[in-house]
């Protein structure tokens, strides 16, 4: 059989309809999330650069706190999707109840800890005096919103693991409309409301996720995704929890180190001259980049679900084939989208910031990171495959090493020692991502990652 015939046979067996059915609603869901973030940044930029930069600092802290508490969702995707693949529906529901309770408890605990050490955290990030009060205010609202955002996030994860992707889209649409209206109404004083500036933006976000969490829990109950009594029996939890945390703890550790690395990256940029404009530009650039990678995150989640289902049903070779097909399809598609975005980068920078220095940083960040698209997307999809298989241990070693041993030291060296400024940081991000993605792809091809599938646990 020729190589061309083998490739034709390979791609003819791929369930494209199922992949697309899972990908497009998740992409639309993430688009709503990005629109929320971009609206916050846009409205903040219309107030002043301090507010816009504070939103960026708050966003990084928010990402870190979300990772600490919600990485249990990684274990949920693996456990629930594999349980459904094995047709163990009772077990899937009990896992759903377990992760919901965990998420709420962790959110409350982290909110108290974050509030107690809020000033020390700002000192660690080298937040300047002129933006300290605004940054603290955003951080406080982020902490108050954690229980509701955790609930919404875990609910979305459980819906996805059940291959139900339309309801999370409808819920985030409600959140997005409410948040966007609140930003303009309370932040800028539109529609006859009083303008409260940055406080208005923060309060609008809090209210929108409060509403979203309530809707999500009602939808979960109506869809019979968790048991009537949410907390499973203690005896069952003792047997089932070890696998959940076997998958989740490496993911928590990896994501914590990854997101903390981003905070250090912000600190490296904050230590540069004219850091406010650089931080504002970095914040906007990351938001635009996140739009580009929305379908990539959807491919990541789809890979987790489909690979988990296949492994739960004992179909290891099919899981590998599906994983490889999603890697190829997702990387090619997203690279094409990235190239299509290039002609519009300058215009986007002008729309999202009035500061010329911030515009320069937006443009530089986007150009460099768009060329990183094949590595970023490919690596992201392989991470999703490992989540579905319960093999998160590989990402624990590879991803943080690339951040802490390559990205951060090289970023400091290029930005401060060689005086390349923020552009040096962006180049370091590109190089570290190329090494990380290549390493994860080797793991996919060579490692025995299917052996991490869940062992039998009673319903």
């Amino acid at each position: 059989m020729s190589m061309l015939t083998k490739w034709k046979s390979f791609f003819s067996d791929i369930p494209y309809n199922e992949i697309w059915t899972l990908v497009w609603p998740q992409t639309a869901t993430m688009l709503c999330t990005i629109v929320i973030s971009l609206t916050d940044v846009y409205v903040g930029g219309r107030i002043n650069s301090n507010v816009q930069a504070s939103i960026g600092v708050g966003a990084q802290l928010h990402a870190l706190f979300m990772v600490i508490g919600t990485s249990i969702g990684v274990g949920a995707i693996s456990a629930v999707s594999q349980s459904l693949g094995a047709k163990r529906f009772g077990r899937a529901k009990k896992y759903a109840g377990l992760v919901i309770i965990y998420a709420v408890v962790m959110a409350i605990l982290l909110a108290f800890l974050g509030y107690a050490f809020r000033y020390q955290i700002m000192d660690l990030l080298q937040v300047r005096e002129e933006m300290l009060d605004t940054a603290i205010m955003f951080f406080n609202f982020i902490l108050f919103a954690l229980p509701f955002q955790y609930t919404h996030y875990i609910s979305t994860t459980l819906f996805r693991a059940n291959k139900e992707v339309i309801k999370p889209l409808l819920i985030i649409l409600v959140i997005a409309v409410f948040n966007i209206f609140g930003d303009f109404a309370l932040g800028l004083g539109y529609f006859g409301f009083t303008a409260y500036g940055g406080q208005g933006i923060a309060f609008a976000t809090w209210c929108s996720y409060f509403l979203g969490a309530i809707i999500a829990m009602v939808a979960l109950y109506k869809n019979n995704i968790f048991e009537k009594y949410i907390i499973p029996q203690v005896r069952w939890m003792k047997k089932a929890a070890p696998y959940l945390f076997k998958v989740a703890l490496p993911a928590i550790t990896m994501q914590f180190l990854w997101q903390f690395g981003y905070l250090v990256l912000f600190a490296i940029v904050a230590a540069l001259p004219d850091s406010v404009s650089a931080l504002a530009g970095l914040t906007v650039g990351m938001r635009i980049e996140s739009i580009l990678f929305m379908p990539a995150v959807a491919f990541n989640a789809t890979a987790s679900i489909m690979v988990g289902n296949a492994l739960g049903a004992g179909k290891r070779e099919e899981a590998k084939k599906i994983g490889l097909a999603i890697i190829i399809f997702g990387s090619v598609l997203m690279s094409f989208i990235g190239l299509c975005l290039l002609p519009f980068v300058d215009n986007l920078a002008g729309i999202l910031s009035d500061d010329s220095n911030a515009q320069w940083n937006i443009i530089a960040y986007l150009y460099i990171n768009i060329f990183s698209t094949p590595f970023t997307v490919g690596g992201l999809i392989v991470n999703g495959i490992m989540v579905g298989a319960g093999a998160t241990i590989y990402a624990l070693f590879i991803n943080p090493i690339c951040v802490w041993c390559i990205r951060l030291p090289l970023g400091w060296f290029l930005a401060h020692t060689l005086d390349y400024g923020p552009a040096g940081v962006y180049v370091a991000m590109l190089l570290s991502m190329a090494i990380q993605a290549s390493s994860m792809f080797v793991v996919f091809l060579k490692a025995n990652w299917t052996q991490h599938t869940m062992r039998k646990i009673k319903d």
Side-chain angles (χ1 to χ4, degrees):
M1 184 181 293
S2 67
M3 182 61 68
L4 179 60
T5 304
K6 288 181 179 179
W7 278 107
K8 285 183 178 180
S9 176
F10 171 79
F11 284 109
S12 65
D13 295 335
I14 301 303
Y16 294 107
N17 288 338
E18 184 177 3
I19 293 173
W20 176 246
T21 300
L22 291 171
V23 166
W24 81 259
Q26 292 183 88
T27 302
T29 299
M30 292 161 199
L31 174 60
C32 291
T33 303
I34 297 305
V35 168
I36 292 171
S37 298
L38 280 176
T39 304
D40 290 348
V41 171
Y42 174 83
V43 174
R46 291 298 174 266
I47 298 171
N48 57 57
S49 291
N50 277 344
V51 171
Q52 195 171 56
S54 295
I55 290 173
V57 172
Q60 291 307 307
L61 288 168
H62 172 256
L64 180 63
F65 275 74
M66 288 294 289
V67 161
I68 295 172
T70 62
S71 284
I72 195 69
V74 172
I77 288 178
S78 179
V80 174
S81 63
Q82 288 183 36
S83 296
L84 293 174
K87 301 188 183 303
R88 305 288 291 276
F89 303 111
R91 185 175 71 187
K93 290 179 183 180
K94 289 178 181 178
Y95 268 119
L98 179 58
V99 297
I100 289 171
I101 296 301
Y102 169 87
V104 172
V105 171
M106 283 299 298
I108 295 171
L109 176 62
L110 289 172
F112 277 112
L113 288 174
Y115 187 79
F117 295 99
R118 60 195 184 281
Y119 287 102
Q120 291 87 339
I121 292 171
M122 294 300 157
D123 287 341
L124 180 65
L125 295 178
Q126 301 186 33
V127 175
R128 297 191 176 222
E129 186 66 30
E130 62 265 28
M131 58 180 285
L132 180 61
D133 290 341
T134 305
I136 287 286
M137 180 273 297
F138 274 105
F139 184 48
N140 287 341
F141 271 98
I142 287 169
L143 294 173
F144 298 151
L146 278 181
F148 311 116
Q149 290 187 314
Y150 276 29
T151 301
H152 171 256
Y153 173 85
I154 292 296
S155 299
T156 299
T157 299
L158 293 173
F159 275 122
R160 288 204 313 262
N162 281 266
K163 293 188 177 181
E164 172 58 80
V165 289
I166 298 298
K167 288 184 176 65
L169 172 58
L170 297 177
I171 293 169
I172 197 64
L173 278 171
V174 173
I175 293 173
V177 170
F178 200 93
N179 189 87
I180 293 168
F181 176 84
D183 278 356
F184 283 97
L186 302 179
L188 297 178
Y190 284 25
F191 316 117
F193 286 79
T194 301
Y196 291 99
Q199 287 184 334
I201 297 174
F203 183 68
T205 301
W206 183 89
C207 289
S208 63
Y209 277 99
F210 172 78
L211 177 63
I214 293 175
I215 296 173
M217 287 300 294
V218 172
L220 281 175
Y221 182 76
K222 293 290 186 181
N223 281 266
N224 199 29
I225 290 178
F226 56 76
E227 296 283 4
K228 182 177 179 181
Y229 302 101
I230 297 178
I231 304 177
Q233 293 180 345
V234 174
R235 184 173 60 181
W236 183 88
M237 287 193 291
K238 286 181 179 180
K239 294 180 179 180
Y243 181 79
L244 192 70
F245 286 98
K246 173 190 172 185
V247 177
L249 288 178
I252 292 171
T253 306
M254 185 275 291
Q255 287 291 339
F256 176 80
L257 292 172
W258 179 271
Q259 293 297 337
F260 192 69
Y262 266 105
L263 290 177
V264 174
L265 202 69
F266 262 72
I268 291 173
V269 175
L272 292 168
D274 193 21
S275 63
V276 173
S277 292
L279 283 172
L282 180 60
T283 298
V284 176
M286 291 178 71
R287 292 299 189 282
I288 298 173
E289 180 194 27
S290 62
I291 294 176
L292 171 63
F293 293 133
M294 280 186 311
V297 177
F299 278 115
N300 166 283
T302 299
S304 297
I305 296 166
M306 296 186 69
V307 168
N309 278 185
L311 291 175
K315 301 175 181 178
R316 297 194 175 193
E317 290 305 315
E318 181 178 332
K320 293 177 182 179
K321 182 182 290 189
I322 290 172
L324 181 58
I326 296 175
I327 292 170
I328 295 171
F329 183 48
S331 299
V332 172
L333 175 64
M334 296 312 304
S335 297
F336 175 74
I337 293 174
L339 292 175
C340 291
L341 181 65
L342 280 176
F344 305 101
V345 167
D346 291 8
N347 292 332
L348 285 171
I351 291 171
L352 292 170
S353 180
D354 295 328
D355 186 322
S356 60
N357 289 330
Q359 289 176 9
W360 182 91
N361 278 281
I362 295 169
I363 293 168
Y365 180 90
L366 289 176
Y367 267 98
I368 292 173
N369 279 275
I370 284 173
F371 285 110
S372 176
T373 300
F375 303 111
T376 306
V377 175
L380 190 61
I381 294 173
V382 176
N383 282 332
I385 291 168
M386 296 302 137
V387 168
T392 51
I393 191 69
Y394 298 108
L396 171 61
F397 289 101
I398 292 173
N399 295 352
I401 287 174
C402 290
V403 170
W404 288 91
C405 298
I406 299 174
R407 177 177 298 184
L408 297 179
L410 182 61
W412 178 271
F413 178 73
L414 294 176
H416 291 273
T417 304
L418 297 185
D419 292 326
Y420 284 110
V425 175
Y426 309 151
V427 171
M429 293 174 70
L430 168 61
L431 294 175
S432 66
M433 185 57 69
I435 295 171
Q436 174 193 324
S438 300
S439 300
M440 287 301 295
F441 189 63
V442 170
V443 166
F444 173 80
L445 294 176
K446 302 295 184 181
N448 187 18
W449 47 270
T450 59
Q451 67 176 336
H452 295 270
T453 308
M454 187 191 310
R455 296 177 181 176
K456 291 185 178 180
I457 296 173
K458 293 183 179 180
D459 294 352

